[in-house]
Amino acid sequence: MSVNDIKGHYIGGRFLDDGRGTENINPSDVSDVIGRYARGGPETVDAALEAANAALPAWSAVGVQKRFDVLDAVGTRIAQRSEELSVLLAREEGKPIGEARGEVLRASQLFKFFAGEAIRNAGELLDSTRPGLTVEMTHEPVGVVGIITPWNFPMAIPAWKIAPALAYGNTVVMKPADIAPGCSWELAFMLDEAGLPDGVFNLVMGPGREVGPALLNSGRVDAVTFTGSVGTGRQIARDAAANGVRVQCEMGGKNPLVVLGDANMDLAVEAAVNGAYYSTGQRCTASSRIIVTDDVHDTFVAALTARLLQLTVGGALDEGTIIGPVVSESQLEKNLEFIAEARIAGAEVVGGERLELEARGHYMSPTIVLDPRQEHAISRDEVFGPVASVIRAADYDEALALANDTEFGLSAGICTNSLSHAAHFKRNSRAGMVMVNAPTAGVDYHVSFGGRKGSSYGHREQGRAAREFYTLHKTAYVNANV
Ligand code: NAD
């Protein structure tokens, strides 16, 4: 296949395109075109929904061994192809190759985990309150599931939605982010290779504003799971409610990492560096507000500033790169605007410059914004780049109040050696996930994932909790005394 051949939509078990394609460009080097991917619209969604609805009765009744076998085979295949897939991920998203390898491994683990969950889909059996009757509670497929994913984890997020959807007997129409469709296309290819029946999984690529509404307003989708920005998520939740479609939205974050005076300072600095700057800060769980008590504020800032100088910014395929490019020119401009506004508002900024490297890409230096005001955009809105604020707090109580003073609530961390402060923070942080002496980013696949407030809407993802979204409860009363 040459770079000019279009990688088609995957519908009803066939790869299809109509000659329209969008170039997938490497953000580390914009002269590198990874490939051309089909660009669909409402008619493509229509065909995919037709296929998914037609395949539903057979797949929901296929039995758990077949579902296990397909998902397990995909998990194995991802692991076998891990280096090639990691390179693709690094090229299309700009994630440094070491982190890309971790994400590909995670996708393999997710398929393996949900293969097991398919055969562990247990119900409950109880005696009825009426003598002689029993009550069975079981979980049935929800139906045709729409999956809409962002660009920042182009392999892991599709995996953590596709695998449970198929494990529990649903069929799928998926739309990946238009600027990074390559990993999803490879997942479609591997599902096909693993013997998934035609129409069970369908991939439609193209712009969200065209493909998304066609999916949500079709009347032929039973549930939609979305990960992406708050604005899009709220629109999707509204469309879903209007159409009576079950919906799950995982959205942005403005995650705090609290550092107290009694913390292990080396550990706290590393947690901040990892949480705020790895993956170029393009993680919903990134630590974008580092809240440090007065007694160690200056020491912490000096240590963090020194560490930033050691973080090599470069192309995602260079093994020595710690900070890759920002995903696109428009995202880079947005990041620089946030920083410029913070400067105008009086905050001191360390770093925060556009960088010109040998290859033409979207590079910037990792950035610390010192003591921004609480009401300013940099403190309230998700930046989604290698930018973190360091905010001074008088003591633990003020640090906790600042941590909770946000409309988001995805992840929150605390670095402390105090058991009582750690315990208090775990109880009183208004975030869905709390990390003690660990970065705010970095989660496991076998436990539930999700936030509160503006970060999340609907059921939790991943782990055993995923079943709640992808299944419907059924309660059956059985009278055997006949
Ligand atoms: P985005 O909202 O721009 O796009 C996400 C997806 O929605 C894309 O596939 C896009 O094409 C599609 N879309 C756009 N408009 C649509 C519409 N009107 N209807 C239906 N679909 C539409 O987000 P992004 O820029 O791709 O991703 C970055 C965002 O994702 C950040 O805000 C980040 O915090 C968030 N994110 C959240 C989590 C989480 O689990 N909470 C994880 C990763 C990323």
Side-chain angles (χ1 to χ4, degrees):
M1 203 172 196
S2 94
V3 76
N4 289 319
D5 291 329
I6 294 179
K7 294 232 158 85
H9 309 291
Y10 179 66
I11 297 174
R14 293 171 57 216
F15 287 95
L16 308 165
D17 74 86
D18 62 1
R20 291 191 302 160
T22 307
E23 284 185 341
N24 186 358
I25 307 278
N26 180 347
S28 299
D29 175 359
V30 294
S31 68
D32 177 28
V33 179
I34 297 150
R36 293 175 67 212
Y37 290 79
R39 182 195 165 102
E43 64 300 334
T44 332
V45 174
D46 215 47
L49 281 166
E50 186 76 37
N53 277 284
L56 183 62
W59 181 248
S60 60
V62 75
V64 295
Q65 187 63 48
K66 172 74 178 171
R67 291 189 212 146
F68 175 93
D69 289 344
V70 169
L71 296 175
D72 187 59
V74 173
T76 300
R77 195 73 187 113
I78 293 171
Q80 286 167 345
R81 293 182 58 197
S82 69
E83 192 55 24
E84 173 208 346
L85 294 170
S86 303
V87 168
L88 170 66
L89 198 167
R91 275 175 81 201
E92 76 169 346
E93 202 269 353
K95 190 165 290 185
I97 185 71
E99 289 189 69
R101 289 188 185 112
E103 183 176 339
V104 169
L105 173 65
R106 174 56 50 95
S108 167
Q109 291 164 334
L110 281 156
F111 273 95
K112 296 270 179 190
F113 176 78
F114 283 108
E117 288 302 280
I119 52 177
R120 283 191 292 266
N121 183 16
E124 279 184 76
L125 178 65
L126 287 88
D127 285 340
S128 164
T129 52
R130 284 168 277 168
L133 268 75
T134 53
V135 188
E136 295 167 9
M137 289 184 289
T138 50
H139 297 265
E140 297 184 351
V142 69
V144 174
V145 175
I147 296 180
I148 302 176
T149 56
W151 48 263
N152 68 327
F153 283 90
M155 183 61 92
I157 293 179
W160 84 49
K161 293 179 188 294
I162 297 168
L166 300 182
Y168 296 118
N170 304 287
T171 59
V172 169
V173 174
M174 173 174 168
K175 194 211 91 64
D178 22 335
I179 58 169
C183 291
S184 292
W185 192 91
E186 294 296 340
L187 287 174
F189 186 85
M190 288 183 278
L191 285 161
D192 185 80
E193 207 181 34
L196 189 72
D198 294 351
V200 173
F201 176 80
N202 304 275
L203 181 76
V204 175
M205 294 168 286
R209 64 186 175 280
E210 290 172 33
V211 173
L215 189 61
L216 278 147
N217 300 321
S218 63
R220 289 192 294 163
V221 69
D222 299 291
V224 169
T225 171
F226 165 83
T227 298
S229 60
V230 176
T232 313
R234 290 201 174 139
Q235 180 59 48
I236 285 175
R238 279 194 290 273
D239 287 350
N243 288 288
V245 170
R246 175 181 285 204
V247 70
Q248 169 186 64
C249 294
E250 281 299 341
M251 301 171 280
K254 194 70 196 167
N255 311 290
L257 175 70
V258 169
V259 179
L260 300 185
D262 62 12
N264 174 328
M265 212 34 67
D266 292 341
L267 181 149
V269 171
E270 286 317 305
V273 167
N274 176 316
Y277 302 104
Y278 282 17
S279 298
T280 320
Q282 297 175 144
R283 292 189 284 191
C284 51
T285 47
S287 320
S288 63
R289 298 180 301 134
I290 304 166
I291 301 164
V292 187
T293 50
D294 225 4
D295 46 350
V296 285
H297 176 275
D298 295 353
T299 315
F300 177 87
V301 170
L304 183 64
T305 307
R307 273 294 279 127
L308 287 206
L309 295 174
Q310 298 166 349
L311 303 180
T312 311
V313 180
L317 291 176
D318 295 341
E319 295 284 350
T321 292
I322 305 291
I323 312 279
V326 169
V327 75
S328 63
E329 182 57 27
S330 61
Q331 183 67 50
L332 175 57
E333 280 167 12
K334 226 171 105 187
N335 298 349
L336 296 173
E337 262 169 46
F338 271 111
I339 294 166
E341 277 175 28
R343 273 204 178 97
I344 290 167
E348 189 187 329
V349 174
V350 180
E353 310 294 339
R354 181 193 282 270
L355 299 178
E356 305 289 343
L357 304 186
E358 206 175 311
R360 207 154 57 81
H362 314 297
Y363 296 104
M364 65 178 285
S365 51
T367 309
I368 307 174
V369 179
L370 289 167
D371 287 320
R373 302 259 296 274
Q374 252 319 79
E375 66 273 22
H376 282 143
I378 193 99
S379 303
R380 309 224 70 93
D381 300 339
E382 185 181 46
V383 179
F384 228 55
V387 182
S389 303
V390 178
I391 300 157
R392 196 186 286 269
D395 52 19
Y396 168 73
D397 290 338
E398 193 189 5
L400 174 66
L402 285 165
N404 283 333
D405 182 13
T406 167
E407 67 177 73
F408 295 105
L410 189 54
S411 178
I414 186 165
C415 292
T416 179
N417 279 344
S418 154
L419 184 59
S420 67
H421 280 142
H424 189 270
F425 190 80
K426 269 192 294 172
R427 260 198 319 274
N428 293 287
S429 163
R430 293 203 289 274
M433 296 178 290
V434 177
M435 315 293 183
V436 177
N437 292 321
T440 58
V443 295
D444 289 357
Y445 60 89
H446 65 304
V447 293
S448 67
F449 173 93
R452 296 183 183 179
K453 300 196 275 182
S455 291
S456 299
Y457 182 81
H459 296 104
R460 285 285 188 264
E461 299 203 80
Q462 302 196 57
R464 310 207 79 170
R467 183 170 76 166
E468 278 304 301
F469 178 75
Y470 292 100
T471 63
L472 299 171
H473 285 252
K474 180 169 278 175
T475 312
Y477 293 81
V478 180
N479 180 2
N481 301 323
V482 286

